[in-house]
Amino acid sequence: MREESTHDPIFGSLTENQDPEINLRAMFEKLLDNWKWIGLGIVIAAGIGYYYLQKTSNVYQAATTIIIDDGDSGSGSELAAFQDLNIFSPSSNILNNEIGILRSRSLMRTVVSDLKINITYFVPDKVANSELYKDDVPFRVNFFNTDSLFYQRDTSFIIVPVDNERYKLTDIDGGNISNGSYGENLKVSYGEINITPNNIGQTPAMNNLLVKVNPFEEVVRNYVGQLEILQADQDIKSTILTIKLKDNILEKAKDVLNVLILNYNDEANNYRRLLTERTDSFINMRINEISSELNLADQGIEDFKKRNRLTNMDLESGLTLELNKEIENRIVNLSTQLRIIEYVIDYVNNNPDDLIPTNLGLKDEGTTNNANTYNQLLLERNRILKGSSRMNPTVINLDEQLLKLRESIQKSLDNAKSSIEFALNDVRSQERLLINKQIEAPEQEREIQDIKRKQQIIETLYLYLLQKREENAIKQGVVSPNAKIVDKAFGRNVPVSPTKGKTYALALFVGALIPVLIIGINSILDNKTRNRKDIEKYFISPVLGDIPKMKSKKIRIVKDHDRDSLAESFRILRTNINYMISGSGSDSDEKGKTIYVTSTIGSEGKSFISVNLASVLSSVDKKVLLIEADLRKPKLTKYLNMKKGRGLTNYLVDHKLDYSDVIESVENFEFDIIRSGDIPPNPAELLMGARFEGLVEYVKNEYDYVIIDTPPVSLVTDTLLLTKSANLVIYVVRMNYLDKRLLNIPKELHSNNRLPNMALLLNQTDYSKSGYGYGYGYGYSEAKKRWWKRSWRLDL
């Protein structure tokens, strides 16, 4: 039954009987065939990994653990009694603010400035510079006259020791900058420097030292970016923080973390000290004023009693006081709050550039929070003003924020004052109603009550301020660090990057992966016929044999005494041809056998097969005639080193010529040949004529074998016209050359029986990659080369 196909017979894709599954074993064998390239990729990748490790500086990680004191978690037994005074750290709900302060550039600036890590030292090396730190630096390099421009520089120079007393400075390209002596100031373009040996009394190491002055702000930005702050347990709102930092030198990372925590605590303590000093000054000023008012109130009571000759007013007005006690207490409390707010309003209005006192017991929490924020911004602005002017954009921005906060605070105080005044008026109206009911009480009692009330208000306020002064004094005397260190900065001497294991593992993986991907992609995209299995995927046809691939490009014709794999393959081909012809049922017993040799496209070796087949058939005492019927592109005469002369074309055109005129013997060989002759303009018409058929019928009676070299079937129709009388059609398929899609041509010809008794012959087969694992020779083949002498051609 004919096999159906919906694709183009020449360039169609796979047929219905083709196995679409990926052959994993074939892919694995493909990788094994190219193991040398995979190994080379691994070696190259490992070398790149080694170079990367040598070129890249190690990075270490240091970490420290601290507790941010929230005032609720306990400050020690000796401080527990003062927790109700609210003089310790802010509550844990502002932990994120403390993290923000630890990450601040201003705090990191102080760290970089204290440690001078904007200046780094290296041992110059062609592969990678080795950084030195602290005691490892052989020289002390001191910079003088460092202005703001100095911290913006990106400068590098090399200290080259000359002897035990002198040195010279060069740039990174080796150009001389200046010469100097140890301990003497040396003026250079970027300031004045002084270089001394790090270990006094010892001879400095005679090694060059690379000094890099990095831009200050860039160093600060890099360290802020490397800083990692993690909260221990966010679910329970823990105030334990772990701070991590990566650096090329572990000791430097530890120093940065330790100095960071130290400066953080110093700034927090300075802020508290300044705030308590301002608060103390405000309280003392108010106490002096209230003390005078209290004296006046006491004197007023004394004068009233003398003037009205009163002795025991308490006993006489006991009942009235008892009735008015509750209202009076309310009036006293409201009046006290009103006076405090008035004092604060007066202080805020008259001291615009001072800190706003806090911790005075204001019940308005929003106003207290705004005052704390205002104080922090004011301190930050004053700190920046020490090194800048009021025209600094940051100062202007802070002034705008301070103005808005001050207006908000004043508005809040005014609203609070109005609210208290409203409540106070309401209580007093209630008091008046009660007084109206006491119509029998003497006027003196009411007057003395008013005077005492004023005295009580002033006295209450006076005692309150005395209490706050003592609290503030305790706050000044008991200073608790904002961050308590749980673990000082620590770290392992094992770099976190790059790690040798991961680097080499990645290098080996990539080194193996890239060749595998290249081989795999090429294998997927490969459209060449590689072995017999590729043909069997398209159709099943008899295969006469395999002609091995020859290393030499020179055309060789097999002779009787040859014993190599090529000769053996043609002898096997001879045997298989006899078997095919004898089993075909043709009249091979009476006449010579006609063997047509063709291929799909040119350069597949059909002419090479034809001439060698003629040679091996003639070597067994058979009369063989070789006809060069490829009239368009003849090659046989070139292979046999024959000169141009009359041939098949001349015979077909000139009817005067006889058979014997075009048949000639081949020198050094035992077969005859009919050359192609001149190239005609109409070869198809000539081969369709009766003279060619008559020629074939004649030579079949004269020779045992007639081998006809025909044109490729995909290019012309000549072969299809010639093969009517063929005993065997040898269809040559060149391995690693013919496009797989072109296998549809012999498939269609075989299915439609267009070429009678067709059999395939595989040419240029590479036995090491044939998929079958066997070859020819039986001891005659060439000795197997060792692996390092084999071809390193990438078999794609």
Side-chain angles (χ1 to χ4, degrees), residues 505-622:
L506 180 61
L508 296 179
F509 175 75
V510 174
L513 180 63
I514 292 177
V516 168
L517 288 177
I518 294 175
I519 294 170
I521 293 173
N522 273 278
S523 179
I524 294 173
L525 299 179
D526 182 20
N527 59 357
K528 299 297 181 184
T529 304
R530 299 295 182 185
N531 48 50
R532 189 178 298 190
K533 292 181 180 179
D534 290 340
I535 298 175
E536 292 174 352
K537 290 180 181 180
Y538 279 78
F539 67 101
I540 302 299
S541 176
V543 179
L544 290 173
D546 301 83
I547 305 302
K549 180 180 180 180
M550 304 306 297
K551 296 180 180 180
S552 175
K553 294 184 179 181
K554 184 178 179 180
I555 298 300
R556 179 180 159 215
I557 302 176
V558 175
K559 296 184 178 180
D560 188 43
H561 60 273
D562 292 337
R563 291 294 182 271
D564 59 2
S565 59
L566 180 65
E568 291 299 325
S569 65
F570 275 103
R571 292 187 181 100
I572 293 175
L573 175 62
R574 178 182 61 193
T575 302
N576 292 339
I577 288 175
N578 289 328
Y579 177 79
M580 286 285 297
I581 293 177
S582 63
S584 64
S586 63
D587 55 349
S588 57
D589 295 334
E590 299 179 359
K591 296 182 179 180
K593 289 77 174 175
T594 57
I595 301 173
Y596 286 79
V597 182
T598 187
S599 63
T600 306
I601 58 176
S603 300
E604 289 197 74
K606 59 181 183 56
S607 298
F608 168 75
I609 299 297
S610 299
V611 69
N612 276 282
L613 183 58
S615 178
V616 296
L617 287 173
S618 64
S619 66
V620 290
D621 296 331
K622 298 292 183 180

Side-chain angles (χ1 to χ4, degrees), residues 383-606:
R383 186 185 65 79
I384 294 174
L385 280 176
K386 293 178 181 180
S388 179
S389 67
R390 290 186 176 274
M391 300 307 295
N392 188 310
T394 303
V395 175
I396 294 175
N397 184 31
L398 290 174
D399 285 339
E400 292 177 355
Q401 296 183 51
L402 289 171
L403 181 59
K404 292 179 180 179
L405 279 173
R406 195 175 191 86
E407 291 175 354
S408 177
I409 292 169
Q410 290 174 339
K411 186 175 180 180
S412 299
L413 291 173
D414 291 336
N415 292 337
K417 179 182 176 182
S418 300
S419 177
I420 293 173
E421 287 177 345
F422 178 80
L424 186 60
N425 291 332
D426 183 64
V427 174
R428 284 176 176 169
S429 64
Q430 295 178 17
E431 182 187 37
R432 284 193 296 270
L433 292 175
L434 184 60
I435 292 174
N436 291 332
K437 295 179 182 180
Q438 300 173 349
I439 55 176
E440 296 180 354
E443 183 179 355
Q444 294 86 356
E445 184 180 358
R446 291 195 302 271
E447 291 179 4
I448 194 65
Q449 187 65 28
D450 289 338
I451 296 173
K452 284 186 177 183
R453 185 182 296 127
K454 292 178 181 179
Q455 180 195 33
Q456 188 177 3
I457 291 172
I458 297 173
E459 183 179 0
T460 302
L461 183 59
Y462 181 77
L463 294 175
Y464 177 81
L465 290 177
L466 287 177
Q467 179 186 358
K468 290 301 177 183
R469 184 171 66 178
E470 291 302 318
E471 291 177 359
N472 198 58
I474 293 172
K475 187 174 181 180
Q476 286 180 307
V478 182
V479 178
S480 175
N482 212 43
K484 296 179 182 179
I485 299 176
V486 178
D487 290 317
K488 282 191 175 182
F490 63 94
R492 298 176 59 194
N493 286 321
V494 179
V496 294
S497 68
T499 56
K500 290 186 178 180
K502 292 182 180 179
T503 300
Y504 281 124
L506 180 61
L508 296 179
F509 175 75
V510 174
L513 180 63
I514 292 177
V516 168
L517 288 177
I518 294 175
I519 294 170
I521 293 173
N522 273 278
S523 179
I524 294 173
L525 299 179
D526 182 20
N527 59 357
K528 299 297 181 184
T529 304
R530 299 295 182 185
N531 48 50
R532 189 178 298 190
K533 292 181 180 179
D534 290 340
I535 298 175
E536 292 174 352
K537 290 180 181 180
Y538 279 78
F539 67 101
I540 302 299
S541 176
V543 179
L544 290 173
D546 301 83
I547 305 302
K549 180 180 180 180
M550 304 306 297
K551 296 180 180 180
S552 175
K553 294 184 179 181
K554 184 178 179 180
I555 298 300
R556 179 180 159 215
I557 302 176
V558 175
K559 296 184 178 180
D560 188 43
H561 60 273
D562 292 337
R563 291 294 182 271
D564 59 2
S565 59
L566 180 65
E568 291 299 325
S569 65
F570 275 103
R571 292 187 181 100
I572 293 175
L573 175 62
R574 178 182 61 193
T575 302
N576 292 339
I577 288 175
N578 289 328
Y579 177 79
M580 286 285 297
I581 293 177
S582 63
S584 64
S586 63
D587 55 349
S588 57
D589 295 334
E590 299 179 359
K591 296 182 179 180
K593 289 77 174 175
T594 57
I595 301 173
Y596 286 79
V597 182
T598 187
S599 63
T600 306
I601 58 176
S603 300
E604 289 197 74
K606 59 181 183 56

Side-chain angles (χ1 to χ4, degrees), residues 12 24 187 372-373 386 394 483 503 662 735 767:
L24 296 179
K187 291 185 178 180
N372 287 329
T373 303
K386 293 178 181 180
T394 303
T503 300
V662 292
M735 299 293 98
Y767 293 125

Side-chain angles (χ1 to χ4, degrees), residues 674-688:
I674 298 178
R675 293 182 289 183
S676 63
D678 298 331
I679 298 177
N682 56 344
E685 288 75 8
L686 293 177
L687 294 175
M688 289 175 62

Side-chain angles (χ1 to χ4, degrees), residues 55 116 121 216 281 301 360 388 578 584 662 722 758 764 776:
K55 186 72 175 176
K116 295 182 174 57
Y121 306 90
F216 189 86
S281 176
I301 293 175
L360 294 178
S388 179
N578 289 328
S584 64
V662 292
L722 300 177
M758 186 185 88
Q764 294 289 305
Y776 297 99

Side-chain angles (χ1 to χ4, degrees), residues 12 32 38 158 211 239 244 266 268 292 342 384 541-542 641 658 715:
L32 288 181
I38 298 175
I158 298 176
V211 181
T239 60
K244 299 179 181 180
D266 287 344
S292 300
E342 288 175 349
I384 294 174
S541 176
N641 294 320
D658 194 12
L715 303 179

